[in-house]
Amino acid sequence: MERKLQEVHPLLTLCGQIVENWQGNPIQKESLRVFFLVLQVTHYLDAGQVKSVKPCLKQLQQCIQTISTLHDDEILPSNPADLFHWLPKEHMCVLVYLVTVMHSMQAGYLEKAQKYTDKALMQLEKLKMLDSSPILSSFQVILLEHIIMCRLVTGHKATALQEISQVCQLCQQSPRLFSNHAAQLHTLLGLYCISVNCMDNAEAQFTTALRLTTHQELWTFIVTNLASVYIREGNRHQELYSLLERINPDHNFPVSSHCLRAAAFYIRGLFSFFQGRYNEAKRFLRETLKMSNAEDLNRLTACSLVLLGHIFYVLGNHRESNNMVVPAMQLASKIPDMSVQLWSSALLRDLNKACGNTIDAHEAAQMHQNFSQQLLQDHIEACSLPEHNLTTWTDGSPPVQFQAQNGPTTSLASLL
């Protein structure tokens, strides 16, 4: 928590050895092992190392299965310190689901994230009937925060918005929860605003979130997304340059997260692309690809491939463009990432048309049409929800009541 990350690694290694060598009650040992592995897994995820974390995550999942088969012995240990339980068994199960969801979301296995979120939320509902422990509400909020991000990627904005509203309601019941999660809430609203093309609201939400957070990683994540808003607006060069300087992946990057640094290269590539500096854009995007491939960051890989494909298309190098867009489309379908699918299908349509492949061009056009329709319907549904009014909330505690909307207030043309 003090961000002394250099000192964490040797300490974790030492803790691992101590836990392994500890002799005592098996359930106690497994419980300590879960504690240790949760710290190890979250440390890796904090560092954006989605591939490196896999062995520890697997161990953690096996460990929780072992614990659920063991029975609590009634024999009282001679040493009172052995009575310490850092977390009840039932809470541990939810926590393991939670870190699994965190991993799946970062790695871009969004259907898996959905599956484990459902399991964890069901378990939480049961536990909350009998147990008023505040940690359960914290687990619930963190789960919802992750699944909301997944929904925005998979093209389920209306559901995401209703879940953001659910987080607001949970935070209203606890001032502590609200103060711990206010910045995340505004960040999620900012991401939602981008997805429905309300760029002014997105900027206001991200600015509010920056004012509320002291967490370096979250700050960097927000700045990266705010930079993407400025790039889309196209007329905010001064602010954009100052933001990009603060998240320069080539030097003095503010955090040690592998994932955020790869994303910063992508944002640089996107900006260079919009400025028509294609060689520079390619350099940044290849850097993103190298980093995202090293740690299985599927979404960043898909985004970089499709943007590289777009650059090669603009430069008239159709073969190279096709080599980028086809795998981008495959990966986007696997995630599934709706925006990248929309973008890839449009590129495939134009590429095939340019190469005279009429049948393939028609097929890609049909796919593009289907994705457009799905996104459009979801867009209209989300903007018509009374909860859409949350996009204008930037101060104090979240509003409780919402007025009904009269349909979408944003332009749909730029979405398609």
Side-chain angles (χ1 to χ4, degrees):
M1 286 167 78
E2 291 177 337
R3 318 310 296 155
K4 295 180 179 170
L5 299 178
Q6 265 56 51
E7 296 171 36
V8 175
H9 200 73
L11 264 176
L12 278 174
T13 309
L14 181 63
C15 288
Q17 292 162 357
I18 294 171
V19 172
E20 284 314 308
N21 297 333
W22 188 75
Q23 299 298 315
N25 179 327
I27 206 154
Q28 207 101 32
K29 182 161 182 163
E30 290 303 315
S31 156
L32 283 171
R33 193 180 273 146
V34 171
F35 192 0
F36 163 68
L37 285 167
V38 164
L39 288 172
Q40 201 171 26
V41 167
T42 48
H43 174 57
Y44 272 118
L45 290 177
D46 233 9
Q49 293 177 316
V50 173
K51 190 177 181 178
S52 312
V53 75
K54 280 182 178 173
C56 308
L57 184 60
K58 216 179 188 92
Q59 262 182 292
L60 177 60
Q61 289 161 341
Q62 285 163 347
C63 210
I64 200 73
Q65 283 178 325
T66 308
I67 281 193
S68 46
T69 61
L70 292 171
H71 296 291
D72 293 306
D73 293 332
E74 292 303 316
I75 308 153
L76 286 179
S78 51
N79 182 351
D82 289 348
L83 289 165
F84 169 74
H85 259 294
W86 71 287
L87 206 58
K89 195 156 74 171
E90 297 73 25
H91 294 194
M92 278 188 229
C93 290
V94 176
L95 182 55
V96 175
Y97 283 143
L98 174 54
V99 294
T100 305
V101 168
M102 290 163 85
H103 176 262
S104 304
M105 198 270 310
Q106 270 199 40
Y109 307 127
L110 302 192
E111 280 165 354
K112 189 176 174 187
Q114 175 67 62
K115 185 179 100 179
Y116 282 103
T117 300
D118 292 344
K119 284 185 172 190
L121 289 174
M122 260 170 56
Q123 193 110 357
L124 275 170
E125 285 310 310
K126 282 185 206 160
L127 289 172
K128 284 179 100 171
M129 288 175 191
L130 313 161
D131 184 346
S132 59
S133 168
I135 200 169
L136 295 177
S137 296
S138 295
F139 287 165
Q140 197 173 351
V141 166
I142 299 167
L143 273 163
L144 286 167
E145 285 170 356
H146 281 80
I147 203 61
I148 288 161
M149 289 189 273
C150 294
R151 301 232 197 258
L152 293 174
V153 175
T154 57
H156 298 95
K157 299 183 273 284
T159 312
L161 184 57
Q162 286 163 325
E163 285 165 340
I164 290 173
S165 167
Q166 219 181 315
V167 175
C168 289
Q169 284 159 13
L170 283 163
C171 285
Q172 268 158 347
Q173 295 160 18
S174 154
R176 187 170 159 272
L177 252 190
F178 180 62
S179 71
N180 284 344
H181 291 269
Q184 289 90 311
L185 246 178
H186 286 288
T187 305
L188 291 169
L189 280 166
L191 295 173
Y192 166 75
C193 291
I194 290 179
S195 77
V196 290
N197 214 43
C198 301
M199 292 303 161
D200 290 348
N201 297 89
E203 185 183 341
Q205 291 297 340
F206 288 140
T207 310
T208 305
L210 285 174
R211 193 181 73 235
L212 293 171
T213 191
T214 52
H215 191 281
Q216 258 329 95
E217 273 79 7
L218 183 58
W219 181 91
T220 308
F221 179 76
I222 299 164
V223 169
T224 308
N225 282 289
L226 184 56
S228 83
V229 170
Y230 288 159
I231 290 170
R232 286 165 206 233
E233 289 185 317
N235 56 356
R236 305 294 294 275
H237 287 109
Q238 225 28 62
E239 294 102 318
L240 182 56
Y241 282 120
S242 93
L243 276 189
L244 290 177
E245 212 25 67
R246 296 165 83 181
I247 52 164
N248 184 346
D250 280 321
H251 120 125
N252 283 348
F253 193 63
V255 290
S256 61
S257 167
H258 182 91
C259 181
L260 287 171
R261 191 162 163 256
F265 276 118
Y266 176 77
I267 287 293
R268 290 266 162 153
L270 189 64
F271 183 44
S272 303
F273 167 72
F274 273 105
Q275 292 200 306
R277 299 202 306 266
Y278 298 129
N279 282 335
E280 185 180 273
K282 283 193 281 189
R283 180 185 88 76
F284 288 129
L285 293 169
R286 284 187 175 128
E287 208 54 53
T288 302
L289 269 182
K290 197 167 76 186
M291 291 186 75
S292 56
N293 281 334
E295 281 292 345
D296 289 351
L297 304 167
N298 289 330
R299 282 201 63 227
L300 270 176
T301 302
C303 291
S304 308
L305 283 171
V306 74
L307 184 47
L308 275 168
H310 203 129
I311 290 169
F312 284 119
Y313 176 72
V314 171
L315 294 172
N317 187 342
H318 294 161
R319 209 179 94 227
E320 201 53 50
S321 176
N322 196 58
N323 289 345
M324 300 289 154
V325 180
V326 171
M329 185 60 159
Q330 288 166 343
L331 198 50
S333 311
K334 201 174 99 181
I335 290 171
D337 185 323
M338 203 58 152
S339 306
V340 176
Q341 284 177 299
L342 184 73
W343 188 358
S344 303
S345 56
L347 267 173
L348 283 171
R349 176 196 62 201
D350 298 345
L351 265 172
N352 283 305
K353 209 183 280 180
C355 300
N357 305 331
T358 324
I359 295 171
D360 291 346
H362 178 72
E363 196 182 304
Q366 197 52 58
M367 267 194 325
H368 185 260
Q369 179 66 21
N370 294 345
F371 292 135
S372 299
Q373 279 311 111
Q374 284 175 43
L375 280 166
L376 199 57
Q377 279 168 344
D378 183 48
H379 182 100
I380 292 166
E381 190 189 337
C383 294
S384 309
L385 288 170
E387 289 88 346
H388 185 77
N389 286 315
L390 276 170
T391 56
T392 58
W393 160 62
T394 52
D395 202 30
S397 55
V400 193
Q401 294 301 320
F402 305 103
Q403 295 302 309
Q405 289 283 118
N406 300 322
T409 49
T410 61
S411 127
L412 300 173
S414 48
L415 242 185
L416 307 177

